[in-house]
Structures are given as C-alpha cells and as structure tokens.
Amino acid sequence: MVITLVLCCIIPATAQSFDVQFQEQLLSVRLKKISKKSGATILSDQKTIGDTRVPALTATNLTVEKALERSLVSTSFTWEKTAVNSYAVIKKTVDKPKPSGKGSLSGIVLDEKGVPIPGASVIVLGTTIGTTTDLDGKYLLSHMPSGSTTIQISFMSYETLQVKDVKIAVGKATPLDVVLKEASQHLSEVVVTATYGQASATGLYAKQKNMAALSDGVSADMIKKTSDNNVAQVLKRVSGVTIDNGKYVTVRGMSERYNNVQLNGASLPSTEPNRRNFAFDVIPSGLVDNVTINKTFTPDMPGEFTGGLVEVNTLAVPNEKFLNLGIGTGMNTISTGKDFYSNKRFGSDWFFGEIDKRKWYSGGDEAATAQNIINAGQKNTYGFGKYTGQPLQNYSITTGLPFNLGRSSLGLVAALTYRHEENTEEILEGNMITRDSIFKPSGKGSYRYKAATSIGAVLNAGWRMSGHSITWRNLFNNRFNHTNQQRYIHKYYEDYSLVELYSVPLVSSLWQTQLDGKLNLLGGKLIASWNASYNDITRTNPDDRMAQGSIVSESANQVSLIDWGWSTNYGNSFNVGSGHIMYSKLHETKKNIGANLEHPFIIQGNRQSIKIGYLGAFRKANFEQQYLKAMRNYNAPNQGDIGLPIDEYFASEHFGGNPLVYELSGMQGTKADYYEGGQDIHSTYLMGDFSFLKKLRLIGGLRMEKTDMHVTTEMLEKTIGGGMIDSTTVIKK
C-alpha cells in the first residue's frame, strides 16, 4: 500500500493537553486546528480526505491522540503515530461486515447525575461504524448490521463502557441510553462491561434523576406491553395519579383546576364546558411516544398548575423505515355475546358517531327555541332496545419513511387507528336514607352499558441536520361514547320505587397542528428553540335523554306496571332530575406561540445553563346548552297511560298539548343557556441550572405572566319578590 503524505501543519513543540470547542467543519480544517492547539505535526493526504466533514466537538484536557480519535470516529480514516509528537491520518483498512440486514441504534449518553455528555465517542467494536454525541448527549448509528454486537462508549475523564449483547433487528431502531462513571485520577484507563439490559435500566433512572422537576412517566415501550387503549388508562400506571370517571386526571389528590396538560409541548384547551379539565380518553395510546407528569414547578413551565403538568408526546420522526400493522380483539365476560341495551343506534356510531339524526336543536335564540320544542316532540328515541354485546375490535397501521439528503435528513410518520368496544357494568345495590337507594327487583338489575368508538390519525414530518431540526406534527382524534343506564331506585322519604332510563351520546373531536424547531448557534454556545400550534376541540351531546317512571306493584321486589307519568307530572319544568332531554355543544380553540434561548457551558467539568423564553397562549370558547322537559296537560283526559311502554307514552302524536308538551328548562326563560369567553396569556421567564462540586445542583429563576380573561353570558335571575329578570354578565380579569 502506497500512502502519499502531504504536510498540513508543522509546529515543532511538545504535545500537551488542551481544551477544544470545534463546530462542524471539514476534516482538513479540523486537523490544522488540532495541530495548532497541540503543537504536534499531523500529516495527511489532502486528495484522499477531500471534503470529508466531522461533527462538532467540545471537550477539556484533551491529548492530541484523543482529539484525533474523537474527530475521526465517524469517518473512514484513522491515525497512527509516526515519530515523537508526529502523527499521520490514513484510510482505515478494516473491512465492513457483510450483514444480511440493517438496523439502527440511538440513545443518549449521561453522567451519573443524569447530565448529557456532548462529544462522547460511540463505536461498534470491530467495525468502522461510529459517531459522537451532540450537544444534548444524543447519538444515532444508522445502517448497522443485524444481530448481536458490542458497543463501546468513551469520553475523556470517564470510564470507558462496553455494552455487550446489543441486539440489532432488521429495519428497527434499538434504543440504548447509557451512563458513564467519572474515572479516578489515580488510575489508568478503565473499561467497564455491562449487558444491554443493565445499561438501559441505568440510563432510564439517570434521565429521570436529571429532570429539573420532580416527575414520573411512561414510555412507548411500556405502553405497548399493556392493554391500555387511551392515555387515561396509561396514566393510571403512574404513581400519585388518580383517574376520575375513566378520563380525568387528579395528581397528588389535587382536582382538575390545579392541573394542566400539554400535547407535544403545546397547552391544550378544556374538553369540559363548566370546569377546567381535559378528557384523556380522546387520545389513543397507539399514537403516543411517551407521557410525562411533572409534579413540581420550574420557571420554564406554565404557571397554570400546582398539582401536575401532564405532557403527552406523539410519534416523532423515524430513524429507519418501518411499517406496523395491528389487529386485536378481546372480550368481556359480562358483555360480549350477552344482552346489551341501548336506545336507538345508528350505523355511523361505529365510525365518527351520529349527530344529525339525533339532533333536535336548531339554534339558541327565541325563534329557534320555539322550533326546538316542535322538533323535540317529533323525535322519539325513548326506550331501550336489546342488542348483542360485540367483542373488542382494534386495528392500526403505522408507517415511517426516512429520506437521506446528504448532510441532512427528512422523515415522515403516518398512523391510523380504529377501536370499538362495548362493556357492561353492574350497579350494585345500596341502601341509604339521605340519598336514593339502589335495589334489585326479582330477575332484574341496575346496569350501565357503554359503547365507544375511537378513530385517530397522526401525520408528522421532520427535517434535521447536525444541530438543527424542524418538525411539523398533526394529530386528529374522534371519539364517540354512548352510555345507556338503567337503574331501580327507592326514595326513602317519599317512599317511592322508580325505574330510570338514561341515555348519553357524546362526540368529542380533537385536532392539533404544530410547527417547532431547534437551532444550534455559535458552535453550540446558544441553543434556540421555537414552536407554534393551533388546537381545536369540539364536544357535542346531541340528545341527552332521561326519564323516570314509578313502579306500580304489590312488592318492592316485583315490577308489574310502570307509570312514566312520574317524569312529566313531578315538580315543574325546571326540575330536570325526573326527566329531560338536553343538547349541548362546546367548541374551544387555543393558539400557542413560544421561543426559548439557552446558553449551555461547562465549569470545572460541570454542565451549566442559562435559559430565557416567551410563551403566548390565546384561548377562545363557545358553549350552548338547552334543556327541555316534557310536561303533561292536566286538562287533557287520562286515557289509561299507566302501564304504557315508554316509547308509546312519549309517542310523537302525544305532543303538542295532547296531552304532552315540551317546556323550556335550564337557567334562561326564553332561549338556550350559553357563554362565550376568551383568555390571553403572555409569559416570560429567566432560569438558571447550575451544578457545583459534582453533588450540588441549583435550579432557580423567575417567571412573569399577564392574563386577560373575559366571559359573556346571559342567565335568568330571581328577584327578591320571586319574579324573574334577564341579566347579561360580562366578566373581565
């Protein structure tokens, strides 16, 4: 082999340790700088090196050998010592293996405190495959041969770590987060070995240890090992978190008003019309990359929580091509194949949920309210029909496509999920004095029948190169819940026994589009990040319908006849507890825009950072709701209504005052209840994260927020004399 050597730089001096902070650059430029820093002679063939580029490198107390090793690790070149203080850069002669397939390895390199180590060397032993970590301690090894291999991770002043039995699968990305221990100053180079499982577990604990706030969470790998189908079920596995009503989160015992939620770093609007809360069952678990709950506050977090900040991140840009198809099923021994009761069902309930065919509401003003009363009388969906409980159906398809653009890469992720499930819950008996008691008549019982259909989609695109990235994320999910409940109730004080039928169809949709980016400036001395998002949530209940009937019988344990007149005779039109129909719709949007600037630096081997940023959140909400109660015209003759089936009692021909009529209920007297409001938040912060003496960490700063909020509504108020007045309320804060 003939090697032509060209002198790059000759500075006859004694080699010494030195600090470096190199940006990504040509290899020829890097060699000149190392030669100048070290005083060593470095020879190379300029024609062979050509336009080879090397990644950024920041380190302290480097020798010339270590500087060359870490600069050349991701190239096809190596070095050899030719004389005292003289080196030559030559082509590697180790042949690459001939694998049957390729995979990839990615992760983060941390120290024992969980702080990322930039510039660490990550190589596959026995091959020319290698790279160095970026400013966040992250690395990626693409096009690795499949099978079991050994990975070596090293960095100046840390013990070298060799991880054995790392299994690389064809077409898949293997995660490996590792921790390097600080080397003793009195020992020569130490090589520590560990298995893949040991190294991964240590890395996971170190990452959580490094979080500035007290936190907990669940990764995508853990989610895949469970039967959870939405984020609410996933969160039940996090310590300190309680799930209320199957979808609302309580952190450390604090209710919804003290918690906040972010999706891909952007705060979300509320899914509820009368409280600040988010229904986590609208996000399918199959579209989630990880879920984290921050239980303490740092200045770079929104100031709208004291209980917990729940952060949900969806699938990111892939490192390798993949296509995953999923088909799943399951059964519930109480419901699957058994009798399943519901009021009228529609074909679209198995997709996005039917609204139009259930809807009787046409508007909220006085003229529309009159039409609503007419429409409601013609819409008869009372009564439960008997169906057969269906097994769980779960389908998903997820694909990822990376594109190599030379010095940069582009990636796409697309996912589509579908899930339908039907479950029956038995409502147990309970005898109470101050509240209604639940009893079980002979051959009957109180049950809740739940059917849910969820359709979700993700489409993400991202571009990245060394130190820079831009990502566009899109998430859509539609969830239809239909709950039908049958209860047998005994009222202690009135000494009445009742049967109650209650049907609640609910359609919830969520759409988010978000653009974010990250940029390394001044060779990594400044890290800029920004994001902008638009979030849209709609929650519609097209036909909430409930009726109570009194049980006419000789014994409380026997049901012979039911008088549905209880729901039309009891109390007045404002008493919706004995029977009603209701329509409601909440539409809320939220726009977020933010930017952050971070300056990381190292003092005596400890990573420090100063961070400043801005976040603007702009929220608008519109809500409308109308209750109607069926009332009986007492002047109409009684035609033997007792014992009529509920669908016949509420038949369309019985409305219009013969003998039934719908009357407006709720808070207003002539039109639907409503409110509209907005909230604008401007916030800025300054935060410092400092480490001292390897054992002490100080995180502090300040955050300032300015909030403008307005709410407009109109309600019916009682005067002192008992009359009614209309009142328009405008609240500004």
Side-chain angles (χ1 to χ4, degrees), residues 172-230:
K172 294 185 178 181
T174 300
L176 176 60
D177 299 329
V178 298
V179 173
L180 297 185
K181 295 183 179 180
E182 190 172 357
S184 171
Q185 297 180 355
H186 304 291
L187 298 176
S188 57
E189 185 176 8
V190 176
V191 177
V192 180
T193 61
T195 64
Y196 174 77
Q198 293 169 336
S200 297
T202 304
L204 176 63
Y205 297 144
K207 279 199 295 185
Q208 188 164 323
K209 179 181 177 181
N210 183 52
M211 295 290 290
L214 179 63
S215 66
D216 206 340
V218 183
S219 66
D221 290 337
M222 296 178 65
I223 294 173
K224 292 176 182 177
K225 297 175 182 178
T226 70
S227 58
D228 301 334
N229 65 81
N230 60 65

Side-chain angles (χ1 to χ4, degrees), residues 382 546-548 566-568 573 575-581 628-630:
Y382 286 101
M546 191 265 276
Q548 291 181 341
W566 173 274
S567 62
T568 58
S573 61
N575 183 3
V576 297
S578 60
H580 69 264
I581 64 173
L628 298 179
K629 181 174 176 61

Side-chain angles (χ1 to χ4, degrees), residues 76-148:
S76 59
F77 297 92
T78 187
W79 61 271
E80 64 179 24
K81 194 169 185 178
T82 58
V84 176
N85 210 28
S86 181
Y87 303 86
V89 174
I90 61 175
K91 252 312 195 186
K92 293 179 181 177
T93 58
V94 179
D95 295 330
K96 292 184 179 181
K98 298 179 180 179
S100 57
K102 297 291 182 67
S104 66
L105 182 75
S106 62
I108 184 171
V109 179
L110 310 164
D111 65 14
E112 292 179 279
K113 296 185 296 183
V115 178
I117 301 177
S121 170
V122 183
I123 63 174
V124 182
L125 285 184
T127 74
T128 58
I129 301 174
T131 187
T132 57
T133 57
D134 62 16
L135 288 172
D136 298 319
K138 297 179 180 179
Y139 70 92
L140 170 64
L141 292 173
S142 301
H143 306 293
M144 292 184 61
S146 60
S148 182

Side-chain angles (χ1 to χ4, degrees), residues 301-610:
M301 296 181 183
E304 292 187 288
F305 79 94
T306 54
L309 173 63
V310 183
E311 296 183 275
V312 181
N313 295 301
T314 58
L315 298 174
V317 177
N319 295 321
E320 299 287 342
K321 292 182 181 179
F322 68 88
L323 175 64
N324 297 328
L325 300 175
I327 300 177
T329 187
M331 64 175 293
N332 185 315
T333 56
I334 299 179
S335 59
T336 305
K338 307 292 178 62
D339 291 344
F340 191 87
Y341 288 87
S342 171
N343 73 348
K344 189 172 182 180
R345 305 174 82 176
F346 299 89
S348 54
D349 290 351
W350 275 261
F351 294 95
F352 293 99
E354 182 59 60
I355 293 180
D356 293 340
K357 293 180 181 179
R358 288 187 169 94
K359 183 178 175 181
W360 45 264
Y361 182 83
S362 59
D365 56 21
E366 295 184 22
T369 297
Q371 184 62 47
N372 293 339
I373 291 174
I374 297 174
N375 295 343
Q378 303 303 311
K379 187 82 66 174
N380 181 14
T381 58
Y382 286 101
F384 286 177
K386 184 169 68 173
Y387 301 88
T388 300
Q390 300 298 308
L392 167 69
Q393 302 175 58
N394 192 16
Y395 310 98
S396 66
I397 178 171
T398 308
T399 184
L401 296 173
F403 301 94
N404 190 346
L405 305 179
R407 294 179 55 192
S408 63
S409 62
L410 177 69
L412 298 173
V413 168
L416 183 65
T417 65
Y418 173 88
R419 184 182 181 94
H420 179 81
E421 58 184 325
E422 298 180 1
N423 296 303
T424 301
E425 299 175 353
E426 183 176 5
I427 303 174
L428 300 179
E429 296 179 75
N431 296 315
M432 292 168 280
I433 296 178
T434 57
R435 296 188 179 185
D436 297 342
S437 297
I438 306 298
F439 71 97
K440 187 175 183 179
S442 178
K444 300 181 182 297
S446 298
Y447 293 93
R448 186 178 294 116
Y449 305 92
K450 293 183 175 181
T453 302
S454 178
I455 295 178
V458 161
L459 179 60
N460 295 342
W463 169 87
R464 64 188 175 193
M465 63 179 296
S466 180
H468 313 299
S469 65
I470 298 177
T471 306
W472 182 34
R473 291 184 172 93
N474 297 274
L475 170 72
F476 170 80
N477 186 72
N478 187 92
R479 184 174 177 88
F480 172 66
N481 290 282
H482 194 189
T483 301
N484 292 273
Q485 178 175 280
Q486 177 177 279
R487 297 194 304 164
Y488 290 91
I489 306 168
H490 182 73
K491 291 183 173 291
Y492 180 84
Y493 289 113
E494 295 90 342
D495 195 25
Y496 277 107
S497 293
L498 305 173
V499 61
E500 176 187 276
L501 300 183
Y502 194 5
S503 176
V504 184
L506 188 65
V507 181
S508 302
S509 65
L510 164 66
W511 176 59
Q512 182 195 68
T513 182
Q514 176 178 339
L515 191 66
D516 57 65
K518 187 174 183 179
L519 182 66
N520 287 349
L521 305 170
L522 304 177
K525 293 181 179 180
L526 285 178
I527 302 175
S529 60
W530 55 270
N531 68 82
S533 69
Y534 176 82
N535 307 271
D536 188 293
I537 285 181
T538 303
R539 176 188 181 274
T540 306
N541 185 340
D543 188 30
D544 188 286
R545 191 170 291 248
M546 191 265 276
Q548 291 181 341
S550 63
I551 298 174
V552 181
S553 61
E554 298 178 358
S555 169
N557 291 326
Q558 295 290 331
V559 177
S560 56
L561 296 174
I562 298 176
D563 180 11
W564 293 104
W566 173 274
S567 62
T568 58
N569 296 337
Y570 185 76
N572 54 51
S573 61
F574 286 90
N575 183 3
V576 297
S578 60
H580 69 264
I581 64 173
M582 185 270 287
Y583 170 89
S584 69
K585 181 179 180 180
L586 169 69
H587 181 221
E588 188 164 340
T589 62
K590 195 167 189 178
K591 302 173 184 177
N592 300 279
I593 184 169
N596 303 280
L597 191 63
E598 181 180 7
H599 171 46
F601 55 97
I602 296 175
I603 298 179
Q604 295 182 347
N606 294 308
R607 188 179 189 272
Q608 326 288 335
S609 72
I610 298 175

Side-chain angles (χ1 to χ4, degrees), residues 49 59 83 139 165 170 185 240 287 355 386 397 424 454 483 515 518 591 612 676 689 695 697 715 725 729:
I49 290 177
Y139 70 92
D165 301 324
V170 177
Q185 297 180 355
L287 305 182
I355 293 180
K386 184 169 68 173
I397 178 171
T424 301
S454 178
T483 301
L515 191 66
K518 187 174 183 179
K591 302 173 184 177
I612 189 172
E676 59 183 22
D689 188 351
K695 299 292 183 181
R697 185 177 182 185
M715 64 184 66
I725 60 171
T729 303

